[in-house]
Amino acid sequence: MSTMTRAITTSAVPGRRAKVKRERYRYNTRAGKVFDVFNVVLLTAIGLVALFPFVFVVVRSFASETQLASSAFFLWPKEFTFEAYDSIFSTPAFPRALITTVLVTAVGTIIQLFLTVLMAYPLSKKGLPGRNVIMSGVVFAMVFSGGMIPTFLIVKDLGLLNNYLALILPMAIDPFSLIIIKNFFQNLPGELEEAARVDGASDFGVFWRVALPLSKPVLATFALFYAVAIWNDYMSPLLYLNDSSMWTLQMFLRQVTSASTLQTAQQDQPGFVAPSEAVKYAVVVVATIPVLIFYPFLQKHFAKGMLIGAVKG
Amino acid sequence: MKNTKRRTVLASAAALCATALALSGCTSASSTGSDDSSASLKTLTVMAPYLTTQAPAATNPVGTALDKVIGTKLKVTWVPNSSYGDKTNITLAGSDIPDVMVIQGKDSGFVNNAEAGAFWDLTDYLKDYPNLKTNEPDVQQASSINGKVYGIFRARDVMRTAVMVRKDWLKKLGLSMPKTTADLLKVAKAFTDDDPDGDGKKDTYGIAIPKWPGGFATNSPYDAIETWYGAGNDWITKGGKLEPSFTSPNWIKALDFEKQLVSGGYVNPDFATLDSVDWNQPFLTGKAGIIIDTYSRARQINGLLEKQDPDTYQNMVGVTGNLVGPSGKMHALPTAGYSGFLAIPKASVKTEAQLKSVLSVLNKMNSKKAQIIMNNGLEGKNFTVKDGKAVAVTSTTATDLTNIVASYAQLGTNVTGNKFYPPAQPNDYDQQQYDAEVKTMNSDAKHAVYNPAAAFVSQTYAQEGATLDNIITDARLKYIAGQSSLSDVKAAIQLWKSSGGDQVISETNDLYKKSTK
Amino acid sequence: MSVQKFDTVTQSLLVRETGGRGRAPRGKRKWLATFNRYKWFYLMLLPGVAYFVIFRYAPMGGAVIAFKNYVPFLGIFGSPWVGWAQFSHLFGSPDFVRLLSNTLILAALNLFICFPLTIVVALLLNELRLTVLKRSVQTLIYIPHFLAWTIVAALTYLLFAQGSGVLFNFFNGVFGTHVDFLTSPGWFRPLIVLQSIWKTTGWGTIIYLAALAGVDPNQYEAAVIDGAGRWSRMWHVTLPAIRGTIVVMLILSMGSILNTGFEQIYLMTNSLNRSVADVFDTYVYFAGISQGSYSYATAVGLFKAIVGVVLIGGANWISKRLGQDGIF
């Protein structure tokens, strides 16, 4: 994604070259310091604003039913209770759904990422015959889809019903991601490929040994995107998995939520005890925490200067 | 060069689409499970929604007991209630169609499928089965679609409209439970102006009303008031023809009443936006003193108050049924009397002989013994009988069983009346409330104003109903909020008519005429 | 140092191998030679293309239900043909102009406010030197992406509700006004934009941060050598470095410009603000999906897709004219 091809010799500011000072990028000007302080304050505020509603949800997930019913807003529950989490964790369906989802997400992300990257690389070669046809096809597929029922029929005809592959394959390549990854490959420096070819690498070899290792930030980013998409996917299990013992976390959680917010306009079930409203909030927490834990592991791949040293003049 | 490229793209796209069409057309609706013998069926496949956290396991004690009673193995595909509509359509589009499907409502998707021949018309078959021949023919008629009964309806309480009022506030102000709409106004005003909680601050008001999530005539507080005022229930008969209730002058009178409530400040200021999920809050936090909804909500509030104030809650909630409007006559707002029905798809139940065997199983499922299992559970395991009422057993196994029972209850039709044990209330106070409720329900039911057009589904309404409804409900709300005038309301009614309402009226009347022949 | 791009290296290799000035062999041999030369690439393309054909294009055949009155029981073939009826239902509806304008206004607000804001936040984050803070804020700002719109709506209600809302009381108290944010048509769009900013900005920065991570620090050094200040570095090094990414994201967002997001709008709509709140997605829900009318929903989807394709094509062409890469 970085346009390394901007000639490094082009001066940022035309004119004479100043003496090379080992001064750290001149952050230490007065204006620079003021900006830094302002930046820190602003971004911290933004972070807190983003965090606050989640805290709100977490707090409410530990509150008692009566407090939730009667008070709109509070910062700490009067009676701290694990009631909501209990009702989620104690259902035998829960650990099963959790493990299933973790596995499907892990395997699915690898498959999807692999397919996407494999397809993106050839498409990054401008001279490849047929490239434009395929690209048009990809773009069109991005804006238009056949719809829920036709897709269902195709999956059914492939015999993938009640099969976990139905959660992975229909959405295997996201056109948007494909295009961004393709552009990334397009912008890698040409001399790296030349160097590899000099060493006798084939087309695939260049991909495997040069392009791929350089694309860590991109791979990390889209691994995250795909993983989150599979994790949050609710439609696919609904459509394709009829056997309720195969269910994923989202199906389970959504049902728990709807059970707890049952409108009384619906019929009374004799003897039916609706779980506390706190469950609705606990569900959000349970569904979100695993992903939040996953992200920091990928963050380190976004480190600066991945391409330093790759190009030596 | 560009032209050939474009042509190639188009050509390949066309080829792809053709292949696609061929592929997608290849869905054959093949039969599942049912035996061909007209003797008792060995297995019956059913699709049903479940509302609890977890679906019943494939083999569970309740299911096993039920199978024994009906003499057939029930294979239920449980679908989470939150996605039932989508799943129904997907199932109908696929090839794995069960013998019996619970249908939750007469939406246009179902109507189209039914009229295209997807389901059996049961009108002439049900009378041959003692447990399926209903003793509520009005409700059955209401559940039918343009004269054809496409399923065995799931009976529900007809009279659920209730008004709950803070009894302790009434006592403090020396008032009694409202019986008429005029009383309602008086009490609401007093709750707002006369400091019923005695804290010296003007921090209370009369009625709590939420942003109503449904369309027109869906038993909202507004619909209740409008029915009490004699405006009818969704449709009225005028001179042998059907007209929408909002064309009656009583509807406008009701709107004025509602406007009075709002402009006086006797209603919560956020009545246009309060989420219905939070409806109980104003009542529980001592801000509102009146809610117009159902007996279920009254029970729910009672339960929550019990947890909040176990010592005083018994003095807090008074519940009454429908109120009498200005005409002096009681017009009670009923529910439809049913909540969906059990339909039998033709794709899986192919012959009349098969249909009859399925019906005989459903007949057994509505027997007293089966009803007890499906609504109470297993006697001795999760409930015991005392004074003809079901007393819940308290233990974790019992609660698990009760949750399973709640799911099986979804399969219940109860078209010949409830034969299972009514639940015993946990204490005397609750039992008193419950009994009083039943009494009011029955007396209100005598004055129920049924919707004369319930059985008729007009094509235009099926297509445009939701948008048409919005025109009326928006106009009502703007008027009540004081943001529009009476002429705006009349203009909205005109707009409704010209946007398709006229067709709805004529189509409905055609169906009405056909049915009365 | 040659600055050829990856793809053109391959191109030049082809030129070399086909005899000098790119004169390729003619006829059938041309195809074979081409295929042979590029066989690795085509092999790599195979799984992906197969995926698109099977799972994306095959179902598109089902889009024909936009021209029918689809009844699931009758299947796609069996459902009656109605020609352009669904489309005339859409375009002929008296609400069409209002829907279109509401949708376009929200789309424009999204484009001119949310899109740049995401880039700005990414750049600001990039300027943070305290790694711990940077990582923490990065993790925090993308949490909103995971909270369902129902939670966002519930919170909006809490803050802005008439009488009880925290911000409602604060705002009206300070300015002495009596604004009802949740029901007044004039405040609907600002609230929607604020919600969108809160929910989507953080997640959106991920792409830009990944791009910024790839900027060669040597560029910065060169800029410093030339005497560039901080702002200058941002303008002349950082921004150009991610310009390609920005352009691609812009073009791609054109494709979904008419997708306003059903849930967010639906939750904020009520009888008093419907005139500005109704968009295509909510209308389709009311007029179609909630009634099981897939045909109508598909017709609207087809309309949106065509608009999306035209806009993407246009944006791509413009970007190429301006010297950028475009997406194809």
Side-chain angles (χ1 to χ4, degrees):
Chain A
M1 288 187 236
S2 64
T3 49
M4 285 292 299
T5 53
R6 298 276 165 263
I8 294 179
T9 49
T10 306
S11 262
V13 172
R16 50 188 176 51
R17 290 160 164 269
K19 266 202 294 214
V20 177
K21 277 199 234 167
R22 275 300 140 207
E23 190 187 12
R24 294 292 282 160
Y25 295 177
R26 292 180 51 202
Y27 280 127
N28 295 331
T29 61
R30 182 94 154 303
K33 284 207 183 115
V34 168
F35 171 76
D36 272 338
V37 170
F38 167 76
N39 201 21
V40 167
V41 168
L42 178 67
L43 287 175
T44 314
I46 292 180
L48 290 176
V49 167
L51 178 65
F52 165 69
F54 187 67
V55 167
F56 173 81
V57 166
V58 171
V59 163
R60 285 177 89 85
S61 71
F62 286 110
S64 69
E65 189 174 1
T66 30
Q67 187 177 14
L68 285 176
S70 58
S71 126
F73 180 76
F74 49 90
L75 280 171
W76 193 258
K78 229 183 328 190
E79 308 152 23
F80 198 92
T81 166
F82 281 96
E83 214 171 62
Y85 290 98
D86 245 348
S87 73
I88 296 181
F89 293 146
S90 62
T91 337
F94 174 72
R96 194 171 48 209
L98 183 62
I99 295 177
T100 308
T101 312
V102 169
L103 287 175
V104 170
T105 305
V107 173
T109 306
I110 295 175
I111 294 179
Q112 291 186 345
L113 197 59
F114 176 69
L115 285 176
T116 309
V117 170
L118 199 65
M119 186 176 179
Y121 183 74
L123 288 178
S124 69
K125 304 297 179 198
K126 280 222 178 101
L128 187 68
R131 174 194 187 252
N132 280 345
V133 173
I134 298 181
M135 276 310 297
S136 318
V138 168
V139 170
F140 187 71
M142 189 171 70
V143 290
F144 187 63
S145 89
M148 181 174 76
I149 291 191
T151 314
F152 169 79
L153 292 174
I154 297 286
V155 171
K156 184 180 77 71
D157 286 341
L158 287 171
L160 287 179
L161 284 185
N162 275 334
N163 185 330
Y164 285 118
L165 279 178
L167 304 184
I168 299 172
L169 291 182
M171 290 290 139
I173 303 182
D174 171 36
F176 172 84
S177 312
L178 182 69
I179 293 177
I180 304 247
I181 296 179
K182 169 202 79 110
N183 270 40
F184 169 77
F185 283 137
Q186 248 172 258
N187 290 319
L188 290 177
E191 52 271 19
L192 293 173
E193 173 169 358
E194 284 212 2
R197 285 191 188 277
V198 163
D199 289 341
S202 68
D203 291 331
F204 187 78
V206 175
F207 166 68
W208 193 254
R209 277 186 271 141
V210 179
L212 218 44
L214 285 177
S215 44
K216 286 227 181 76
V218 171
L219 290 182
T221 309
F222 288 101
L224 179 67
F225 283 0
Y226 276 141
V228 168
I230 300 179
W231 182 265
N232 284 342
D233 187 8
Y234 160 69
M235 274 321 275
S236 300
L238 170 70
L239 293 177
Y240 306 123
L241 298 179
N242 280 325
D243 187 354
S244 62
S245 68
M246 288 180 79
W247 271 350
T248 62
L249 198 58
Q250 290 299 327
M251 293 289 282
F252 173 78
L253 292 177
R254 206 165 269 238
Q255 182 62 8
V256 168
T257 310
S258 93
S260 76
T261 56
L262 206 53
Q263 298 277 26
T264 53
Q266 304 225 14
Q267 66 279 12
D268 292 304
Q269 291 311 306
F272 172 63
V273 177
S276 150
E277 236 217 48
V279 171
K280 194 170 64 168
Y281 297 103
V283 156
V284 174
V285 176
V286 169
T288 315
I289 293 270
V291 190
L292 291 183
I293 296 178
F294 185 49
Y295 181 62
F297 290 110
L298 291 173
Q299 261 189 327
K300 62 176 190 257
H301 292 291
F302 294 178
K304 261 194 165 105
M306 289 297 302
L307 290 167
I308 298 179
V311 180
K312 281 300 177 217
Chain B
M1 191 53 193
K2 273 229 167 116
N3 272 330
T4 48
K5 212 197 291 182
R6 208 176 295 148
R7 251 185 268 149
T8 329
V9 175
L10 282 176
S12 28
L16 278 171
C17 286
T19 329
L21 278 176
L23 268 180
S24 41
C26 274
T27 53
S28 55
S30 58
S31 145
T32 54
S34 344
D35 267 324
D36 224 328
S37 66
S38 50
S40 68
L41 281 180
K42 295 219 183 62
T43 53
L44 188 72
T45 49
V46 184
M47 183 172 118
Y50 71 91
L51 292 86
T52 51
T53 316
Q54 197 180 347
T59 325
N60 63 74
V62 178
T64 319
L66 185 60
D67 288 346
K68 245 191 266 177
V69 166
I70 62 178
T72 306
K73 181 152 172 49
L74 277 182
K75 277 210 180 116
V76 187
T77 307
W78 297 103
V79 178
N81 171 60
S82 43
S83 359
Y84 198 73
D86 279 328
K87 197 67 180 198
T88 309
N89 283 313
I90 293 279
T91 309
L92 286 172
S95 56
D96 208 0
I97 304 182
D99 300 320
V100 177
M101 290 173 73
V102 171
I103 302 291
Q104 286 187 319
K106 275 197 278 182
D107 64 24
S108 78
F110 176 73
V111 172
N112 285 334
N113 279 306
E115 301 203 312
F119 297 97
W120 283 94
D121 174 6
L122 303 173
T123 326
D124 299 320
Y125 292 98
L126 293 178
K127 56 183 174 3
D128 296 331
Y129 298 87
N131 291 332
L132 299 180
K133 177 162 177 237
T134 181
N135 56 1
E136 291 177 274
D138 290 325
V139 178
Q140 180 163 294
Q141 222 255 335
S143 74
S144 69
I145 295 178
N146 301 332
K148 300 212 179 118
V149 178
Y150 283 109
I152 305 159
F153 68 93
R154 306 189 302 170
R156 295 287 183 264
D157 288 331
V158 167
M159 200 46 73
R160 300 183 76 214
T161 310
V163 181
M164 51 216 92
V165 186
R166 282 291 294 258
K167 241 182 353 194
D168 49 343
W169 288 6
L170 287 175
K171 194 157 161 215
K172 185 155 195 319
L173 299 177
L175 298 166
S176 49
M177 284 292 286
K179 291 208 179 53
T180 68
T181 48
D183 288 341
L184 183 66
L185 181 62
K186 207 167 74 173
V187 173
K189 185 170 175 354
F191 280 178
T192 313
D193 297 334
D194 300 339
D195 191 24
D197 58 352
D199 64 352
K201 286 187 273 185
K202 192 169 173 202
D203 56 358
T204 57
Y205 55 84
I207 314 179
I209 304 182
K211 167 178 159 190
W212 195 252
F216 184 71
T218 46
N219 291 49
S220 70
Y222 305 117
D223 295 315
I225 293 177
E226 285 150 24
T227 305
W228 295 341
Y229 259 69
N233 178 4
D234 202 7
W235 289 82
I236 49 178
T237 34
K238 223 195 293 185
K241 289 185 121 191
L242 292 178
E243 296 248 338
S245 62
F246 50 80
T247 55
S248 97
N250 284 334
W251 193 73
I252 306 285
K253 287 208 199 108
L255 281 198
D256 280 324
F257 177 73
E258 288 161 8
K259 186 174 172 161
Q260 220 185 346
L261 289 172
V262 170
S263 57
Y266 315 144
V267 171
N268 53 317
D270 55 356
F271 67 94
T273 52
L274 175 68
D275 195 339
S276 55
V277 170
D278 299 324
W279 198 352
N280 296 336
Q281 243 177 49
F283 199 89
L284 291 171
T285 49
K287 288 218 177 58
I290 308 174
I291 287 185
I292 305 172
D293 190 40
T294 62
Y295 290 109
S296 312
R297 185 167 298 277
R299 246 173 270 147
Q300 198 188 43
I301 288 185
N302 229 356
L304 289 168
L305 280 173
E306 183 175 356
K307 286 202 200 139
Q308 210 175 284
D309 296 316
D311 303 318
T312 52
Y313 84 101
Q314 297 192 359
N315 303 324
M316 291 174 84
V317 185
V319 184
T320 181
N322 287 271
L323 301 181
V324 178
S327 71
K329 260 178 62 180
M330 160 79 80
H331 303 284
L333 177 65
T335 63
Y338 71 98
S339 168
F341 34 78
L342 264 55
I344 303 176
K346 280 197 181 152
S348 44
V349 179
K350 294 201 165 94
T351 67
E352 206 187 359
Q354 285 175 316
L355 173 66
K356 289 196 174 151
S357 5
V358 171
L359 284 175
S360 73
V361 176
L362 292 176
N363 185 50
K364 290 201 204 114
M365 258 170 66
N366 202 30
S367 65
K368 176 167 178 179
K369 264 198 172 158
Q371 276 198 26
I372 291 178
I373 297 179
M374 282 162 54
N375 292 285
N376 296 125
L378 303 170
E379 187 169 350
K381 300 247 169 61
N382 70 317
F383 80 98
T384 51
V385 184
K386 199 175 133 179
D387 296 331
K389 299 199 185 50
V391 181
V393 169
T394 39
S395 74
T396 19
T397 35
T399 323
D400 288 340
L401 276 178
T402 309
N403 280 335
I404 298 180
V405 170
S407 296
Y408 276 93
Q410 292 293 312
L411 302 173
T413 49
N414 309 334
V415 295
T416 50
N418 291 346
K419 302 219 176 76
F420 53 90
Y421 302 109
Q425 301 303 311
N427 59 43
D428 285 333
Y429 171 73
D430 289 341
Q431 189 64 49
Q432 261 173 26
Q433 295 284 80
Y434 183 79
D435 292 335
E437 250 177 50
V438 173
K439 240 177 83 186
T440 324
M441 271 204 278
N442 290 332
S443 76
D444 279 355
K446 297 198 193 102
H447 307 277
V449 179
Y450 288 105
N451 176 5
F456 312 127
V457 184
S458 118
Q459 227 351 55
T460 313
Y461 189 78
Q463 258 197 314
E464 315 260 357
T467 19
L468 286 175
D469 275 354
N470 277 342
I471 298 178
I472 301 299
T473 50
D474 287 351
R476 171 211 265 157
L477 213 81
K478 287 207 189 105
Y479 182 70
I480 298 176
Q483 286 187 9
S484 71
S485 67
L486 201 51
S487 51
D488 292 322
V489 174
K490 299 224 167 90
I493 297 180
Q494 267 313 108
L495 180 62
W496 182 89
K497 289 194 172 154
S498 60
S499 312
D502 279 329
Q503 273 129 293
V504 176
I505 295 181
S506 70
E507 283 166 13
T508 310
N509 274 302
D510 285 340
L511 293 164
Y512 181 54
K513 251 190 273 182
K514 256 195 260 174
S515 77
T516 52
K517 274 214 196 89
Chain C
M1 226 186 323
S2 84
V3 290
Q4 276 182 305
K5 289 201 192 169
F6 235 31
D7 50 351
T8 51
V9 170
T10 311
Q11 184 82 319
S12 56
L13 283 175
L14 168 65
V15 168
R16 265 180 253 159
E17 282 167 28
T18 54
R21 277 172 278 274
R23 226 179 293 125
R26 302 261 147 210
K28 191 155 175 214
R29 280 187 58 205
K30 169 188 178 196
W31 288 108
L32 269 171
T34 317
F35 187 77
N36 196 45
R37 171 64 193 90
Y38 290 124
K39 65 172 176 289
W40 280 115
F41 294 135
Y42 288 130
L43 223 55
M44 288 169 75
L45 277 177
L46 199 57
V49 172
Y51 162 77
F52 272 94
V53 169
I54 298 176
F55 289 104
R56 299 274 180 165
Y57 276 89
M60 277 195 210
V64 74
I65 68 175
F67 299 97
K68 293 187 165 215
N69 208 350
Y70 177 67
V71 179
F73 174 67
L74 298 174
I76 295 183
F77 277 146
S79 296
W81 181 266
V82 296
W84 294 101
Q86 303 286 4
F87 291 94
S88 58
H89 183 210
L90 172 66
F91 295 124
S93 147
D95 296 316
F96 180 72
V97 175
R98 184 171 60 94
L99 289 177
L100 190 60
S101 83
N102 283 343
T103 311
L104 286 179
I105 293 177
L106 281 176
L109 287 172
N110 208 4
L111 189 63
F112 292 113
I113 300 182
C114 299
F115 187 83
L117 212 59
T118 311
I119 302 175
V120 167
V121 173
L123 289 173
L124 287 178
L125 271 175
N126 195 45
E127 290 292 316
L128 271 185
R129 281 177 299 141
L130 203 55
T131 329
V132 171
L133 184 63
K134 183 172 175 191
R135 293 253 190 107
S136 334
V137 174
Q138 254 180 271
T139 313
L140 289 181
I141 59 172
Y142 91 124
I143 291 180
H145 171 85
F146 294 100
L147 295 184
W149 281 115
T150 45
I151 309 260
V152 180
L155 279 167
T156 311
Y157 174 77
L158 255 185
L159 291 174
F160 291 99
Q162 187 171 45
S164 59
V166 173
L167 287 184
F168 175 88
N169 288 324
F170 178 75
F171 186 90
N172 286 318
V174 167
F175 293 104
T177 49
H178 197 76
V179 178
D180 188 6
F181 298 94
L182 298 179
T183 57
S184 124
W187 278 94
F188 177 77
R189 291 185 186 125
L191 277 180
I192 293 286
V193 171
L194 282 174
Q195 282 182 344
S196 297
I197 293 177
W198 180 79
K199 191 166 192 293
T200 64
T201 306
W203 187 253
T205 60
I206 293 182
I207 291 260
Y208 297 110
L209 287 172
L212 287 166
V215 177
D216 182 13
N218 291 328
Q219 301 246 33
Y220 287 116
E221 291 211 15
V224 169
I225 289 169
D226 286 345
R230 213 139 153 217
W231 174 253
S232 214
R233 284 200 298 274
M234 164 99 66
W235 190 253
H236 289 107
V237 178
T238 315
L239 274 182
I242 59 170
R243 182 162 62 197
T245 311
I246 296 180
V247 168
V248 169
M249 294 292 285
L250 194 58
I251 298 178
L252 290 178
S253 71
M254 289 286 139
S256 50
I257 205 172
L258 291 182
N259 290 344
T260 45
F262 163 73
E263 232 186 322
Q264 178 192 14
I265 309 275
Y266 177 67
L267 289 166
M268 293 292 291
T269 304
N270 55 59
S271 294
L272 300 177
N273 63 15
R274 203 187 297 277
S275 55
V276 296
D278 250 354
V279 290
F280 278 126
D281 289 335
T282 48
Y283 184 75
V284 167
Y285 175 78
F286 276 114
I289 299 183
S290 70
Q291 308 268 31
S293 174
Y294 293 100
S295 285
Y296 189 60
T298 310
V300 176
L302 195 48
F303 167 67
K304 283 206 261 173
I306 294 182
V307 172
V309 167
V310 167
L311 286 177
I312 286 188
N316 195 55
W317 181 82
I318 292 179
S319 86
K320 281 209 155 129
R321 288 296 292 265
L322 292 178
Q324 277 300 309
D325 263 338
I327 55 177
F328 60 127

